[in-house]
């Protein structure tokens, strides 16, 4: 029988009628209630067809497939009627195969009367059952041992052994002990009924009953057989799942002892079955708490949860292997039964050693600069806040050194960004080697570094500052066979019990550094309030607000090309610069101050307005996309996000021609970043995730990110010709990105060799000095 559950309003009724013409064994239902009632009174169908146009039908199919896992299912989604008919034809063909035809309904009829054999055989076969006939108990036993039957209908009065004795004999054999038997007799005798039921017969039927009553009893017996078989199949399936899952699973009785374990449990614990079954989990699995301390039975949290019938979800603790070693797990405890009828618990656990390692690595990535490995600005400010609080309590002075390279821009402009990155990495290494175990080194932005010297006496300050200045002076960058001497300026400020905010302390060290530059660079200076306003640059807040009013901010454009045709420009990176006294100042030098004084969003809005103005003036020339790099403060600002579309309307370009570039290392510091990025993406704007590839978790999560492109981190593209791991990492990123329709951009192409190496890795787009230097819009 094929069951069809369809929506009355379905417009594809013609296709469903096609199903009815293919088989007369079809029942149509229009409600879940009607189907469930039919299933309770009939054997399971050979197949079921469910119209997926309603969620109610979908929910029903989930429950149905769990109860009847052996029944073939066809789900029908909205499609052309011709395609629907083809699906139905294939389904019918599948049900017609021999393996699909096999089912409940094979009956053994044992009776010595030829007339009774013929009568009941025809009756059963007309109802769809397959029937074999035996003439006495001995032949019936032999046939039952040789074949698989679902039901035996046995005459009581026969030559030789009677029907009750045959029931007893069937129960003695392993292959037939559970065969459902019904005794068939011509007259009612209580003694006969009692003997048969005692012998193991499930039912007594009488030859003088009507055919309908006889068939009703047979159907009921076979339904019970089918249900039992379904339970056994489900049990076997669950056992199969239990044995196949990678997670450890063990059962605990209501009194807290281990009742069963799966193979994964034995593997994860390095244990054998005999060392676990019947023992308390506290004694052999978790005799320690989640921080590794020995616990008593009464104070073991998990053991008490089992015995009290408590449930736990995603509980992290430590389990112990047979050799005594510990490993971290995440486990869940599910109660069997209910609180009033505790039948024990099932514990599912998994080894999370690798997950914790990744989480630790992820945390490290959030707190460290991706290029140099030093603390990043956010992590350093948190640390500095704690140190200021400690100094206020202990009155133990600290010193903050603000380190800024002299003429770093010349290195980038003359040698390229790759050389500049190499210098920053070299300097970070030397600063870390010079610092003490109690000191902290961080990179704030660009070529700005800070060193926090703890437990410092003021008498030692000049010597320490001079040592760091000399370290900078002794640093030499070797690039393309040439040596480039480096110097730097250092500003120092004392952190004592009167220190105010983080921003104030960093600002003081920054001002002292500027004062050192005024002395002629390659100097160090100690902050003093009187010198603050004597610096060449003056107050940053005033400089930035004046720059906005006087339109001193400008945009540079650097083209992005298609890797397969470097003559084809596909996009433009907009680079913000502050123009002062004929010089262009990088955002790395002024954005930290813009953030400190709360004007960073105003600058980002100005940047977007300038780009929109440029695009409006050159609308006929623009076919590619434009990318700018707003701050996280702006993107996370609701007003700014809503202003973006209004500002960009003035450009005359489509929303999909504007992209926002965000650094991967900063993105995850942005609360609800996915929600806000998705909001802008829904409006058509795109996102580029830069500095990408340093975090394995981000690579694996790439298909779920709401972005248009990723820009590879320079640490991946550097020395690509000699680094196989870097090449493999780029290959993996390209493969995952391509499957997710995300472009991969390789930046900082400094030479033809770089271009050739990145082209071989099948990236999509490239940019860099070799292809085009930044020019003013």
């Amino acid at each position: 029988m094929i069951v069809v559950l369809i929506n009355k309003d379905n417009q594809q009724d013609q296709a469903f009628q096609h199903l009815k013409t293919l088989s007369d064994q079809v029942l149509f239902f229009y409600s879940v209630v009607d189907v469930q009632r039919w299933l309770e009174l009939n054997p399971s169908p050979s197949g079921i067809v469910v119209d997926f146009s309603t969620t109610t039908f979908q929910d029903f199919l989930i429950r149905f497939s769990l109860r009847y896992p052996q029944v073939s299912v066809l789900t029908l989604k909205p499609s052309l009627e011709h395609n629907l008919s083809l699906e139905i034809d294939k389904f019918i063909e599948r049900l017609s195969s021999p393996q699909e035809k096999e089912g409940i309904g094979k009956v053994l009829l044992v009776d010595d009367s030829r007339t009774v054999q013929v009568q009941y055989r025809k009756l059963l076969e007309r109802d769809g059952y397959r029937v074999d006939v035996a003439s006495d108990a001995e032949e019936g036993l032999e046939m039952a041992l040789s074949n698989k039957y679902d039901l035996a209908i046995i005459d009581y009065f026969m030559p030789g052994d009677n029907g009750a004795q045959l029931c007893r004999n069937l129960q003695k054999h392993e292959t037939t002990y559970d065969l459902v038997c019904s005794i068939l007799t011509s007259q009612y005798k209580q003694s006969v009924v009692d003997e048969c039921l005692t012998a193991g017969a499930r039912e007594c039927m009488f030859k003088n009953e009507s055919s309908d009553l006889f068939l009703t009893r047979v159907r009921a017996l076979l339904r019970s057989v089918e249900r039992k078989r379904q339970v056994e199949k489900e049990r076997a399936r669950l056992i199969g799942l239990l044995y196949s899952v990678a997670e450890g699973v063990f059962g605990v009785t209501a009194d807290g002892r281990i009742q069963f374990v799966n193979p994964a449990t034995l593997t994860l614990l390095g244990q054998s079955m005999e060392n676990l079954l019947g023992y308390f989990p506290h004694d052999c699995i978790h005799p320690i708490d989640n921080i590794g301390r020995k616990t008593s039975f009464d104070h073991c949290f998990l053991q008490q949860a089992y015995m009290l019938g408590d449930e736990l979800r995603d509980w992290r603790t430590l389990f112990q292997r047979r050799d005594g070693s510990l490993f971290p797990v995440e486990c869940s405890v599910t109660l069997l039964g209910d609180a009033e009828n505790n039948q024990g618990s099932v514990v599912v656990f998994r080894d999370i050693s690798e997950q914790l390692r990744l989480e630790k690595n992820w945390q490290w990535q959030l707190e460290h600069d991706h290029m140099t490995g030093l603390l990043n600005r956010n992590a350093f400010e948190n640390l500095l806040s704690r140190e200021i609080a400690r100094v206020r309590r202990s009155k133990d002075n600290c010193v903050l050194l603000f380190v800024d390279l002299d003429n770093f821009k010349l290195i980038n402009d003359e040698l390229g960004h790759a050389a500049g990155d190499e210098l920053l990495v070299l300097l970070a290494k030397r600063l870390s080697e010079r610092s003490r175990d109690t000191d902290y080194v961080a990179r704030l932005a660009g070529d700005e570094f800070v060193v926090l010297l703890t437990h410092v006496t003021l008498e030692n300050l000049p010597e320490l500052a001079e040592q760091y200045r000399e370290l900078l002076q002794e640093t030499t960058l070797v690039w393309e066979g040439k040596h480039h001497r480096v110097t730097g300026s250092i500003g120092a400020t004392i952190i004592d019990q009167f220190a105010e905010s983080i921003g104030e302390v960093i600002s003081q060290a920054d001002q002292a550094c500027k004062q050192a530059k005024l002395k002629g660079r390659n100097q160090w200076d100690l902050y003093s309030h009187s010198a603050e306003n004597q610096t060449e640059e003056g107050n940053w807040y005033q400089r930035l607000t004046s720059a906005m009013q006087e339109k001193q901010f400008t945009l540079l454009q650097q083209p992005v090309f298609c890797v397969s045709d470097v003559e084809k420009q596909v996009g433009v990176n907009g680079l913000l610069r502050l123009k002062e006294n004929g010089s262009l100042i990088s955002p790395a030098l002024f954005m930290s101050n813009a953030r400190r004084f709360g004007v960073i969003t105003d600058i980002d809005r100005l940047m977007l307005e300038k780009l929109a103005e440029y695009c409006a003036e050159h609308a006929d020339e623009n076919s590619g996309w434009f990318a700018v790099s707003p701050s996280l403060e702006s993107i996370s600002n609701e007003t700014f996000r809503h202003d973006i579309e209004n500002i960009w309307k003035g450009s005359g370009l489509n929303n999909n021609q504007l992209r926002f570039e965000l650094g991967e290392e900063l993105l995850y510091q942005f609360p609800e970043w996915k929600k806000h990025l998705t909001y802008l993406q829904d409006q058509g704007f795109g996102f580029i995730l830069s500095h990408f590839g340093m975090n394995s978790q981000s690579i694996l999560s790439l298909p779920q990110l709401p972005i248009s492109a990723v820009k590879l981190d320079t640490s991946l593209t550097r020395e690509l010709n000699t680094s196989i791991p870097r090449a493999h990492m780029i290959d993996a990123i390209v493969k995952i990105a391509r499957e997710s329709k995300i472009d991969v951009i390789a930046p900082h192409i400094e030479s033809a060799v770089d271009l050739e190496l990145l082209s071989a890795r099948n990236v999509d787009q490239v940019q860099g000095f070799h292809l085009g230097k930044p020019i003013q819009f």
Side-chain angles (χ1 to χ4, degrees):
M1 184 64 68
I2 300 174
V3 169
V4 180
L5 177 61
I6 64 171
N7 186 354
K8 280 187 177 180
D9 300 327
N10 196 305
Q11 298 303 309
Q12 297 173 324
D13 283 337
Q14 183 177 348
F16 284 108
Q17 293 304 321
H18 171 66
L19 175 61
K20 197 168 184 178
T21 64
L22 294 174
S23 173
D24 57 357
Q25 295 290 312
V26 176
L27 284 177
F28 282 80
F29 295 95
Y30 297 95
S31 76
V32 171
V33 173
D34 291 341
V35 175
Q36 290 174 332
R37 286 174 179 167
W38 184 89
L39 290 171
E40 289 300 321
L41 300 175
N42 295 276
S44 64
S46 58
I48 185 167
V49 181
V50 179
D51 173 12
F52 249 34
S53 62
T54 70
T55 56
T56 304
F57 289 179
Q58 295 174 22
D59 293 340
F60 161 76
L61 186 57
I62 293 173
R63 299 192 301 272
F64 178 88
S65 60
L66 290 173
R67 183 176 177 184
Y68 302 94
Q70 79 284 1
V71 176
S72 297
V73 176
L74 174 63
T75 59
L76 298 175
K77 306 177 182 69
S79 61
L80 295 176
E81 288 193 10
H82 173 68
N83 294 336
L84 193 56
S85 298
L86 288 177
E87 289 184 38
I88 291 172
D89 288 339
K90 292 178 181 177
F91 183 65
I92 291 293
E93 183 180 350
R94 178 153 53 92
L95 292 181
S96 302
S97 64
Q99 60 267 33
E100 292 292 346
K101 284 183 176 180
E102 293 180 4
I104 301 294
K106 191 171 183 181
V107 179
L108 173 62
L109 176 62
V110 184
D111 198 296
D112 62 315
S113 169
R114 179 67 179 168
T115 303
V116 172
Q117 291 176 6
V118 172
Q119 176 189 351
Y120 282 100
R121 182 170 194 163
K122 288 183 178 179
L123 190 62
L124 290 167
E125 286 180 342
R126 277 202 305 268
D127 211 41
Y129 304 115
R130 288 167 292 159
V131 182
D132 289 339
V133 176
S135 298
D136 55 41
E138 290 72 17
E139 185 183 5
L141 177 61
E142 183 180 345
M143 293 180 67
L145 293 173
S146 303
N147 299 277
K148 181 70 175 176
Y149 295 103
D150 302 305
L151 174 64
I153 301 175
I154 305 168
D155 184 22
Y156 178 76
F157 294 104
M158 292 183 293
D161 291 339
N162 63 19
Q165 185 58 45
L166 178 55
C167 289
R168 295 187 192 97
N169 293 338
L170 288 170
Q171 288 189 335
K172 293 177 182 179
H173 295 275
E174 184 178 348
T175 56
T176 57
Y177 80 95
D178 61 346
L179 175 60
V180 175
C181 298
S182 176
I183 296 296
L184 185 64
T185 182
S186 58
Q187 55 183 318
Y188 178 84
K189 282 188 178 181
Q190 186 63 47
S191 60
V192 171
V193 173
D194 292 343
E195 180 187 1
C196 294
L197 295 178
T198 303
R202 182 79 64 84
E203 177 74 272
C204 281
M205 298 186 291
F206 304 96
K207 295 179 181 179
N208 58 357
E209 292 176 339
S210 68
S211 298
D212 289 341
L213 181 56
F214 170 78
L215 289 176
T216 299
R217 290 181 180 232
V218 170
R219 290 167 189 155
L221 288 170
L222 287 173
R223 277 201 303 273
S224 69
V225 172
E226 182 181 10
R227 290 190 181 113
K228 181 181 178 182
R229 187 169 294 178
Q230 288 170 0
V231 169
E232 289 175 348
K233 285 185 177 180
E234 184 64 13
R235 182 173 177 273
R237 190 168 70 91
L238 292 175
I239 291 174
L241 290 172
L242 181 66
Y243 274 66
S244 64
V245 295
E247 288 83 3
V249 183
F250 61 90
V252 183
T253 59
D255 64 350
R257 296 179 183 274
I258 299 173
Q259 186 178 28
F260 68 83
V261 298
N262 74 333
T265 297
L266 302 179
T267 301
L268 290 168
L269 298 176
Q271 282 282 15
S272 60
M273 195 84 74
E274 58 265 28
N275 291 331
L276 295 177
L277 295 185
Y279 291 91
F280 292 113
H282 168 262
D283 295 334
C284 52
I285 297 180
H286 44 72
I288 34 72
D289 61 15
N290 56 2
I291 59 174
R293 297 178 305 189
K294 281 277 186 181
T295 60
S296 66
F297 184 91
D298 293 337
H299 290 88
C300 177
F301 184 79
L302 282 176
Q303 187 68 54
Q304 293 305 307
Y306 310 146
M307 302 181 72
L308 295 173
D310 292 337
E311 294 199 341
L312 298 173
R313 290 290 175 268
D314 303 327
W315 178 261
R316 289 191 174 186
T317 186
L318 296 171
F319 278 9
Q320 181 174 279
R321 299 185 183 92
R322 184 176 184 177
D323 61 9
S325 61
L326 304 177
F327 65 102
V329 300
E330 187 173 79
C331 65
S332 295
V333 180
T334 302
L335 180 66
L336 296 176
D338 52 44
E340 297 179 357
N341 182 25
N342 183 1
Q343 299 178 22
S345 305
V346 173
V347 184
V348 181
F349 71 93
R350 62 188 181 93
D351 185 346
I352 57 171
S353 302
E354 179 64 13
Q355 179 180 333
L356 292 181
R357 187 190 68 78
L358 290 173
E359 288 177 359
K360 185 177 181 180
N361 177 59
W362 181 240
Q363 188 61 37
W364 190 93
Q365 294 280 354
L366 288 177
E367 295 178 349
H368 290 76
D369 174 58
H370 72 282
M371 181 187 298
T372 63
L374 299 179
L375 292 172
N376 59 26
R377 185 184 190 103
N378 187 60
F380 180 76
E381 288 183 350
N382 291 335
L383 185 150
L384 183 58
S385 177
R386 294 194 298 270
E387 196 63 21
I388 290 173
R390 185 191 67 80
V391 167
R392 287 172 181 164
R393 294 192 306 269
S394 65
K395 300 180 176 58
D396 179 20
N397 295 335
C398 294
V399 170
L400 179 65
L401 301 181
F402 191 100
V403 180
D404 190 7
L405 291 178
D406 297 329
N407 299 317
F408 177 68
K409 185 175 180 297
L410 294 178
I411 295 288
N412 274 339
D413 291 346
E414 295 179 5
L415 304 180
H417 289 286
D421 292 347
E422 185 72 22
L423 175 57
L424 295 178
V425 172
L426 174 62
L427 182 59
K429 180 181 178 183
R430 300 208 63 192
L431 288 173
S432 298
E433 292 173 344
R434 175 64 188 80
S435 63
R436 303 166 300 169
D437 292 340
T438 56
D439 298 337
Y440 302 95
V441 184
R443 180 189 177 205
L444 296 188
D447 61 330
E448 295 178 350
F449 296 84
V450 286
V451 182
L452 180 62
L453 306 172
T454 63
H455 310 294
V456 176
T457 60
L458 299 185
E459 292 78 9
N460 294 333
L461 173 57
E463 180 182 353
L464 289 171
E466 181 61 22
Q467 287 175 356
Y468 276 97
R469 187 201 63 79
E470 291 176 354
L471 178 146
L472 296 176
Q473 182 175 279
E474 294 166 0
T475 300
T476 301
L477 172 67
V478 180
W479 189 257
E480 296 180 347
K482 296 182 180 180
H483 291 68
H484 302 270
R485 186 167 173 268
V486 177
T487 62
S489 302
I490 299 175
T493 187
I494 299 169
I495 303 174
D496 55 22
Q497 58 182 310
F498 304 108
E500 297 183 11
S501 65
I502 302 169
E504 187 68 24
V505 169
I506 295 177
S507 177
Q508 290 174 359
D510 185 14
Q511 292 297 330
C513 182
K514 292 178 173 60
Q515 189 65 26
K517 287 184 181 292
L518 282 178
K519 291 182 177 180
R521 306 183 189 276
N522 193 20
Q523 303 285 331
W524 75 271
D525 198 13
L526 180 64
Y527 170 78
S528 66
H529 182 72
S530 60
E532 181 172 347
N533 294 323
Q534 297 174 14
T535 60
E536 177 184 9
E537 290 85 351
N539 181 275
W540 265 110
Y541 178 76
Q542 183 179 351
R543 288 175 65 191
L544 293 173
T545 52
S546 297
M548 285 187 286
Q549 293 171 358
E550 298 172 13
K551 299 183 178 179
Q552 291 177 274
F553 286 101
T554 188
L555 276 173
L556 304 183
Q557 58 173 312
Q558 186 174 28
V560 179
F561 298 94
C562 177
V563 73
S564 59
D565 181 5
V566 291
E567 298 297 324
K568 179 182 177 182
Q569 181 175 317
V570 294
V572 171
N573 255 124
L575 310 172
L576 184 66
R577 295 292 185 267
L578 173 59
K579 193 171 185 178
E580 286 186 343
N581 300 323
S583 299
L584 295 178
I585 302 175
S586 168
L589 299 177
F590 64 76
M591 274 303 194
S592 59
N593 292 290
R595 182 177 291 108
R596 184 189 314 159
F597 294 113
V599 297
I600 194 166
T601 300
D602 295 328
I603 294 175
D604 284 337
R605 183 177 282 104
L606 180 63
M607 170 181 65
L608 191 57
E609 289 172 349
K610 290 183 72 67
L611 178 60
E613 182 181 344
Y614 170 83
C615 290
E617 294 174 357
H618 302 80
D620 296 337
E621 307 168 18
N622 299 324
S623 59
W625 49 260
F626 292 82
V628 290
S629 302
S631 64
L632 287 183
E633 286 84 354
S634 297
I635 289 294
S636 58
N637 183 295
E638 184 175 1
T639 302
F640 182 83
R641 289 197 307 273
H642 287 294
D643 288 347
I644 289 174
E645 189 169 19
N646 292 330
I647 295 173
W648 190 244
K649 280 180 181 177
S651 70
L653 301 183
N654 295 325
N655 287 1
N656 59 17
Q657 289 180 267
L658 175 62
R659 295 184 177 184
F660 300 105
E661 183 172 320
L662 299 172
E664 180 196 10
E665 74 282 2
L666 298 177
L667 182 63
Y668 297 99
Q669 301 171 21
F670 175 13
E672 298 184 315
W673 59 270
K674 187 173 287 188
K675 169 186 172 183
H676 300 318
L677 265 59
T678 302
Y679 167 78
L680 291 173
Q681 189 184 53
D682 290 343
Q683 296 184 57
F685 300 110
F687 283 90
I688 300 173
L689 199 58
S690 60
H691 305 311
F692 188 81
M694 295 304 295
N695 186 282
S696 58
Q697 189 65 33
S698 293
I699 297 174
L700 295 175
S701 302
L702 187 56
Q704 286 78 47
L705 297 179
I707 57 175
S708 308
V710 293
K711 186 175 289 187
L712 297 175
D713 190 85
T714 52
S715 61
L716 286 178
T717 57
R718 190 187 301 123
E719 300 177 4
L720 192 57
N721 58 332
T722 59
S723 177
I724 295 177
R726 285 189 176 99
H728 288 171
M729 181 67 79
I730 294 174
D731 290 343
I733 293 172
V734 169
K735 182 178 180 180
I736 296 173
R738 189 147 295 159
E739 291 174 352
S740 307
K741 298 182 179 180
I742 296 174
D743 292 332
V744 178
I745 305 172
H748 304 302
I749 302 297
E750 307 287 343
S751 64
V753 174
D754 289 345
L755 179 60
E756 183 180 352
L757 290 171
L758 269 304
S759 298
R761 303 266 66 84
N762 293 319
V763 299
D764 299 291
Q765 297 159 12
V766 286
Q767 71 177 113
F769 277 30
H770 176 68
L771 301 169
K773 293 185 178 182
I775 60 174
Q776 193 162 338
F777 271 106

